[in-house]
Amino acid sequence: MQTAALDRTRRRLAQVFMAQHALSPEDAINFSTTTAADEKIFARMVQTGIVRDAGRKRYYLDLAAYDANIERRRRIGVIAAIAFAVTLAVFTMAFYVDGSSIILR
């Protein structure tokens, strides 16, 4: 499950690359993390292709992959919200129907 803290850290790391215009192999930068948490998220960004290795510990941000990842997480969030709303509506209707039949008896 993704948390807001992970999203903030991912965004902060991506902003480092954007601020230095490291968006292509030619513009790759030397990059190293300062904390274990940042290292874990950075490794996942490399694994998923959001950050690309240009060799010699130089990395760049694949903006298309970054945007696709954001859109995928947004779609999952919308689907989860819709599923929760439908489930809540079903339970509400079930209790409303059960409650009204008890009152009518």
Side-chain angles (χ1 to χ4, degrees):
M1 190 86 173
Q2 301 293 328
T3 65
L6 292 173
D7 288 341
R8 281 192 302 273
T9 302
R10 188 180 300 111
R11 195 174 321 117
R12 182 175 45 78
L13 292 176
Q15 286 172 349
V16 169
F17 289 96
M18 287 186 237
Q20 296 185 25
H21 304 287
L23 303 175
S24 69
E26 297 81 31
D27 299 323
I29 59 172
N30 290 325
F31 185 80
S32 62
T33 57
T34 56
T35 66
D38 285 359
E39 180 62 35
K40 183 177 178 180
I41 293 170
F42 178 72
R44 182 169 286 167
M45 290 173 77
V46 171
Q47 180 184 12
T48 58
I50 294 170
V51 173
R52 304 281 177 147
D53 187 352
R56 298 177 303 172
K57 293 191 177 189
R58 295 170 46 88
Y59 298 92
Y60 68 97
L61 180 71
D62 184 339
L63 202 52
Y66 181 64
D67 289 340
N69 183 269
I70 290 171
E71 186 59 33
R72 182 185 62 79
R73 284 187 282 121
R74 186 174 293 141
R75 276 193 313 259
I76 290 170
V78 167
I79 291 169
I82 290 170
F84 176 74
V86 168
T87 302
L88 184 62
V90 167
F91 280 123
T92 302
M93 291 302 294
F95 286 117
Y96 176 75
V97 170
D98 287 343
S100 64
S101 63
I102 291 171
I103 294 172
L104 296 176
R105 288 185 189 176

